[in-house]
């Protein structure tokens, strides 16, 4: 099973449509759960990160293999990501991806991470990034099943 924990809600219809499309496509390969956590409104970044940390930790199971999405993480090609997912499922039944909020992730979440993944040194809007992550997970399954998919 793949779980994606995200801070913030999707508001734009076109992004909701894209997410639903990838959820439908992925249902052929794996069970997928997307958990949207509320944005924390506060002027203090430390309070925001602390509250987001608590919300995130409440959604992680002890046995989950956690992949945090971080600019400082390791960049992988699509083939490398597909192999990583395949290898994780040899010993783990759940992979949990975590997309932080506007201020990133609390250090305790980063420490809990089993693997820090970066898509780029660039910063992406969190709502758009969710679609990008789903597309790459879908691409990984297509690669693992030797199915054609556009390059």
């Amino acid at each position: 099973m793949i779980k994606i924990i995200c801070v913030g809600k999707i508001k734009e219809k076109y992004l909701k449509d894209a997410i639903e499309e990838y959820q439908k496509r992925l249902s052929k390969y794996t069970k997928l759960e997307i958990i949207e956590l509320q944005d924390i409104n506060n002027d203090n970044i430390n309070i925001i990160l602390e509250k987001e940390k608590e919300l995130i930790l409440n959604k992680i199971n002890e046995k989950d293999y956690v992949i945090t999405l971080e600019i400082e993480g390791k960049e992988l090609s699509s083939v490398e990501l597909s192999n990583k997912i395949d290898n994780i499922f040899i010993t783990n039944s759940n992979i949990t991806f975590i997309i932080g909020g506007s201020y990133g992730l609390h250090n305790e979440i980063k420490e809990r991470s089993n693997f820090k993944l970066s898509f780029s040194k660039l910063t992406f809007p969190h709502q758009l990034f969710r679609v990008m992550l789903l597309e790459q997970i879908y691409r990984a399954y297509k690669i693992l099943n030797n199915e054609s998919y556009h390059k």
Side-chain angles (χ1 to χ4, degrees):
M1 175 182 165
I2 291 183
K3 182 167 41 176
I4 300 174
I5 300 173
C6 327
V7 176
K9 306 256 186 230
I10 299 292
K11 297 172 185 97
E12 292 84 0
K13 184 181 180 337
Y14 71 96
L15 291 173
K16 286 181 182 178
D17 290 345
I19 289 166
E20 287 173 16
E21 178 62 27
Y22 282 111
Q23 285 179 295
K24 185 174 79 177
R25 290 181 187 192
L26 279 164
S27 68
K28 174 181 174 183
Y29 303 104
T30 187
K31 185 174 179 204
L32 176 70
E33 180 182 9
I34 297 177
I35 299 170
E36 289 185 328
L37 304 175
Q38 68 184 42
D39 280 312
I40 305 298
N41 293 319
N42 197 296
D43 293 333
N44 185 319
I45 294 172
N46 292 327
I47 290 173
I48 292 170
L49 288 172
E50 185 68 31
K51 288 185 176 186
E52 288 177 354
K53 174 194 82 169
E54 292 169 16
L55 292 172
I56 292 168
L57 287 176
N58 284 333
K59 300 297 182 185
I60 299 173
N61 297 324
E62 193 177 298
K63 295 180 181 178
D64 287 356
Y65 187 96
V66 174
I67 298 177
T68 47
L69 285 302
E70 304 180 36
I71 289 176
E72 309 85 15
K74 181 172 173 56
E75 290 184 31
L76 301 176
S77 70
S78 294
V79 171
E80 289 169 330
L81 179 61
S82 68
N83 289 331
K84 179 91 179 153
I85 289 171
D86 196 34
N87 287 331
I88 292 168
F89 279 130
I90 292 171
T91 55
N92 298 79
S93 57
N94 294 328
I95 299 175
T96 297
F97 289 90
I98 301 175
I99 303 171
S102 299
Y103 300 105
L105 294 167
H106 191 282
N107 282 336
E108 283 186 45
I109 301 295
K110 292 179 180 185
E111 289 168 12
R112 170 60 179 87
S113 179
N114 299 99
F115 186 77
K116 295 164 182 37
L117 176 64
S118 174
F119 274 32
S120 169
K121 299 279 184 225
L122 299 171
T123 301
F124 298 104
H126 293 269
Q127 295 180 342
L128 177 61
F129 187 78
R130 195 179 312 180
V131 176
M132 294 168 55
L133 174 60
L134 285 167
E135 190 281 332
Q136 284 300 305
I137 294 169
Y138 175 68
R139 184 180 296 272
Y141 276 100
K142 295 296 270 186
I143 291 167
L144 289 172
N145 288 283
N146 295 315
E147 297 173 5
S148 64
Y149 186 57
H150 63 81
K151 294 184 180 191

